[in-house]
């Protein structure tokens, strides 16, 4: 029975950290944006300036994704080194962190859905040259992307907590009473 619980914990750590990593990854919509958008240079200067902001956010997201992937790999490796007793001890604290990661991941999904809808609206308004409304949609997209970045940063923090929790040095302190 004990081994079964440990296997479930290990599986849940893997199942949670991978979807959280995927949820925080740069959006597939980016490719849609590039393929289906007319030349940005044909847009008014204020919209082009907003596009530069989007590019900067996208670059930051790519960097965050690389860090998240690296930390995911550390979690996976550290988890492999845990003994049965260590896994049992860590089950509850890990569960709390994992639940926070799930909640954050779900928030990212909701924001992405809103962002995709705003992109569709932006394209429609830009095509009909309703620049004021298109600009408002692009500003909304920027705000949504900034919120997504904040949530991705939160996932990084949660991953760091999980790493600290499952790292071998942490475990030796737990068992030695420090």
């Amino acid at each position: 029975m004990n081994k079964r619980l440990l296997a479930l914990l290990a599986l849940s750590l893997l199942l949670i950290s991978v979807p959280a990593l995927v949820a925080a990854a740069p959006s597939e919509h980016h490719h849609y944006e590039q393929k289906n958008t007319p030349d940005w240079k044909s847009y008014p200067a204020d919209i082009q300036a907003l596009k530069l902001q989007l590019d900067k956010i996208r670059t930051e997201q790519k960097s965050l994704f690389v860090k998240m992937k690296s930390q995911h790999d550390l979690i996976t490796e550290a988890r492999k080194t845990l003994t049965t007793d260590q896994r049992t001890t860590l089950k509850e604290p890990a569960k709390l962190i994992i639940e926070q990661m799930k909640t954050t991941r779900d928030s990212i999904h909701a924001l992405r859905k809103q962002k995709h809808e705003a992109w569709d609206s932006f394209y429609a308004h830009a095509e009909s040259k309703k620049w004021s409304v298109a600009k408002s949609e692009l500003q909304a997209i920027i705000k949504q992307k900034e919120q997504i970045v904040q949530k991705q940063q939160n996932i990084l923090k949660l991953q760091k907590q999980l790493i600290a929790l499952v790292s071998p040095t942490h475990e030796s302190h737990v068992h030695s009473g420090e």
Side-chain angles (χ1 to χ4, degrees):
M1 181 69 169
N2 218 5
K3 287 185 179 184
R4 193 173 182 182
L5 286 174
L6 293 175
L8 286 173
L9 173 64
L11 180 62
S12 66
L13 282 172
L14 184 59
L15 290 174
I16 297 307
S17 62
V18 170
L21 182 64
V22 170
S27 173
E28 291 292 323
H29 197 70
H30 168 68
H31 301 290
Y32 170 80
E33 294 166 24
Q34 288 182 339
K35 291 179 184 175
N36 297 319
T37 303
D39 183 15
W40 281 93
K41 293 176 185 173
S42 68
Y43 289 170
D46 53 347
I47 291 182
Q48 289 182 41
L50 292 173
K51 171 67 165 98
L52 291 175
Q53 280 184 268
L54 284 170
D55 291 343
K56 182 179 176 185
I57 294 169
R58 187 172 294 118
T59 300
E60 182 179 358
Q61 283 183 296
K62 286 179 182 180
S63 172
L64 289 171
F65 180 70
V66 168
K67 291 175 188 173
M68 290 171 63
K69 168 114 177 60
S70 173
Q71 288 185 176
H72 168 73
D73 293 344
L74 287 173
I75 291 167
T76 302
E77 289 305 311
R79 184 179 44 84
K80 289 177 184 177
T81 66
L82 297 176
T83 66
T84 303
D85 289 340
Q86 291 169 327
R87 289 181 182 175
T88 302
T89 302
L90 297 174
K91 182 180 177 183
E92 282 304 310
K95 184 178 177 180
L96 295 173
I97 295 170
I98 290 167
E99 287 300 319
Q100 290 175 332
M101 290 173 78
K102 277 185 187 179
T103 301
T104 304
R105 179 197 63 204
D106 292 345
S107 297
I108 289 172
H109 284 300
L111 283 167
R112 280 198 177 140
K113 182 179 179 190
Q114 293 172 7
K115 182 184 64 132
H116 290 183
E117 291 167 358
W119 271 116
D120 290 340
S121 180
F122 167 79
Y123 292 133
H125 289 74
E127 189 174 308
S128 60
K129 300 195 185 310
K130 294 180 182 174
W131 300 120
S132 177
V133 182
K135 180 180 176 181
S136 294
E137 291 295 341
L138 205 50
Q139 289 169 330
I141 291 165
I142 289 170
K143 287 179 184 171
Q144 291 158 345
K145 286 185 77 67
E146 288 171 341
Q147 290 173 350
I148 290 169
V149 166
Q150 288 174 348
K151 292 184 182 307
Q152 289 170 323
Q153 290 169 337
N154 188 42
I155 287 176
L156 274 173
K157 289 176 188 174
L158 292 168
Q159 283 181 319
K160 285 179 184 177
Q161 291 175 16
L162 201 52
I163 290 168
L165 187 66
V166 298
S167 69
T169 55
H170 174 77
E171 283 306 302
S172 63
H173 294 290
V174 169
H175 289 292
S176 66
E178 293 179 357

